[in-house]
Amino acid sequence: MSQDASPPAAGAATKNAMWSGRFSESTSALVERFSESVSFDQRLWKQDIAGSQAHARMLGKVGVLAAADVEAIITGLDGIAADIAAGRFAWSQALEDVHMNIEARLTERIGEAGKRLHTGRSRNDQVATDVRLYVRDAIDELVGLIDALAAGLLDLAEREADSVMPGFTHLQVAQPVTFGHHMLAWREQVLRDKARLLDARKRANILPLGSAALAGTVYPLDRHYVAEQLGFAGITENSLDAVSDRDFAIETVAACSLVMVHLSRWSEELILWSTPMFGFIALPDRYCTGSSIMPQKKNPDVPELVRGKTGRVVGDLNALLVLMKGQPLAYNRDNQEDKEPLFDALDTARDCLALYADMAPNIVVKRDNCRAAAAKGFSTATDLADYLVKKGLPFRDAHHVVGNSVGYAAKQGRDLPELSLPELQQFSPLIAEDVYAHISLDASVAARTTYGGTAPAQVRAAIARARAKT
Ligand code: ARG
């Protein structure tokens, strides 16, 4: 429905010339406004025109349409495309949706031939085709943005491969990690999102046109030829399924939801890290706003909004799932309600990815603050335990010794590397002067050399592997 807040008038609207043959009265104005989709599906115009042109060419090829009619249809639709692109097209609510608006205009422009375009086709397979084409293009755009974002994170990871920060579990300081390693973790999340989107694309990229209303059609359509023209990888197997299936849209919005969940998790970290209490990073000013009352404020609005918009995309997914769950085969008008949540999810994920792709490589890392935070909270306690294990103590005993040392240091308000050798030796005679080389922050991260670990050498190796792949 249109966004106009006023209640619709109850009087009669105009008769729809496309399907009103068997009707004795016009649709009420309320029903017209309630059932229109052109206010939001007009964005499918490019896909609709491409689909119609492919259908017309195919009808010509199989001898259903005369060559002159095909020619008139193609040229007429090109003219309409130019009008729409130039903002010269008058969309009519009385014509319900994008499909009937364009077809009606075509007939106005070219006459009889325009009326032949819909031969062997229904809006049911037409809209299913348009939405699949749209989703395909939208996925390609999202994937491009994810590539840009992942590349930015790789650069940032390289710059910060040696920067030490606290790693957290339970949001408590756990062990030191490198900032670069943390950025590579984010990158893994969006690379999986990309794989999910590309996987959804495979199922979206199948042509439903030729299924007609639900049962197929009497005309000798060459569906493969239509698929070929539109770049579809194949054609649907079952006409009943093809006109009613919106799984591809649901999967795509599910993938967008995970994109958003990931960006929302990052947002949470960016917001925390940019508070003075953490002070790990500064976000570029262009991504922040001030307060109208507190002159000192620099608020991380973009991450906050990204985190907030995650709710709407997850809501879009929910809307689509619930939209589908009660539908019997085949097409039901319910499916018109797929568009707003689908478009909203795609638009929102696109904008958030574009913003983060631009922002991520420009995050300023306050290395000294990160390091100072890692030096608090006994982040190298595990290293002391590992040191004792190397000296022969069983890990459980080492754990206990370190627990005692931490308890002692905490009472003093000092960290482990700040304790003197005799102080440390109270807890185990195995501790010697070489202990300090094991429990410094740099020693701690450098020692974590397992594949995928936080050691700067491992981070650099991971970056090299990533660069070799792209
Ligand atoms: N606007 C409709 C939709 O979005 C097009 C298909 C309408 N088909 C029908 N039989 N009324 O789904």
Side-chain angles (χ1 to χ4, degrees), residues 37 41 96-97 99 123-124 127 246 331 333 335-336 338-339:
S37 56
D41 68 13
E96 266 183 51
D97 57 24
H99 323 291
R123 270 187 298 153
N124 299 349
V127 69
R246 295 293 182 275
Y331 176 85
R333 190 66 178 270
N335 283 331
Q336 182 167 294
D338 64 355
K339 288 169 201 62

Side-chain angles (χ1 to χ4, degrees), residues 53-313:
Q53 289 181 327
H55 180 68
R57 277 193 209 98
M58 180 276 292
L59 290 178
K61 180 171 180 267
V62 300
V64 171
L65 281 191
D69 285 346
V70 175
E71 189 53 42
I73 289 170
I74 304 287
T75 316
L77 288 171
D78 281 341
I80 291 173
D83 282 351
I84 298 173
R88 285 192 303 260
F89 190 91
W91 297 100
S92 152
Q93 177 178 281
L95 288 166
E96 266 183 51
D97 57 24
V98 61
H99 323 291
M100 292 204 289
N101 266 269
I102 291 176
E103 194 191 318
R105 184 78 195 90
L106 180 67
T107 300
E108 271 169 40
R109 282 176 84 113
I110 67 169
E112 280 297 293
K115 293 195 222 160
R116 298 190 200 278
L117 166 63
H118 211 51
T119 312
R121 184 176 76 167
S122 154
R123 270 187 298 153
N124 299 349
D125 59 344
Q126 185 179 358
V127 69
T129 302
D130 293 1
V131 177
R132 282 171 184 261
L133 285 170
Y134 185 92
V135 162
R136 208 174 69 179
D137 293 347
I139 287 177
D140 291 343
E141 192 180 7
L142 293 181
V143 165
L145 290 167
I146 290 177
D147 283 340
L149 174 56
L153 288 173
L154 210 53
D155 291 344
L156 181 57
E158 192 156 44
R159 228 163 55 220
E160 305 298 338
D162 297 292
S163 310
V164 174
M165 67 179 284
F168 301 92
T169 60
H170 315 268
L171 200 57
Q172 308 289 318
V173 171
Q175 291 173 350
V177 296
T178 50
F179 200 96
H181 193 219
H182 200 113
M183 294 303 101
L184 291 183
W186 285 3
R187 183 171 172 275
E188 289 299 314
Q189 297 175 357
V190 283
L191 290 184
R192 288 194 297 276
D193 292 328
K194 171 179 165 177
R196 265 184 286 272
L197 285 164
L198 289 174
D199 196 53
R201 190 191 194 281
K202 285 186 208 149
R203 282 174 293 279
N205 196 25
I206 306 289
L207 174 80
L209 203 66
S211 303
L214 75 165
T217 175
V218 299
Y219 302 96
L221 306 186
D222 183 347
R223 299 187 58 210
H224 288 289
Y225 179 56
V226 177
E228 208 177 284
Q229 290 180 74
L230 295 171
F232 281 106
I235 63 175
T236 53
E237 285 293 326
N238 180 296
S239 61
L240 292 167
D241 176 52
V243 293
S244 80
D245 169 31
R246 295 293 182 275
D247 293 4
F248 66 91
I250 298 176
E251 284 186 72
T252 303
V253 174
C256 290
S257 298
L258 272 168
V259 166
M260 292 303 299
V261 165
H262 290 144
L263 298 187
S264 183
R265 294 181 66 188
W266 306 4
S267 298
E268 177 68 12
E269 293 187 320
L270 293 170
I271 292 161
L272 280 172
W273 293 352
S274 56
T275 63
M277 279 92 88
F278 274 77
F280 290 1
I281 58 163
L283 294 173
D285 279 1
R286 64 180 181 281
Y287 289 103
C288 299
T289 65
S291 156
S292 55
I293 177 168
M294 297 167 283
Q296 84 285 8
K297 288 300 285 290
K298 177 176 161 184
N299 295 326
D301 296 54
V302 168
E304 290 173 277
L305 281 167
V306 168
R307 189 176 58 185
K309 283 174 190 287
T310 303
R312 56 193 288 169
V313 177

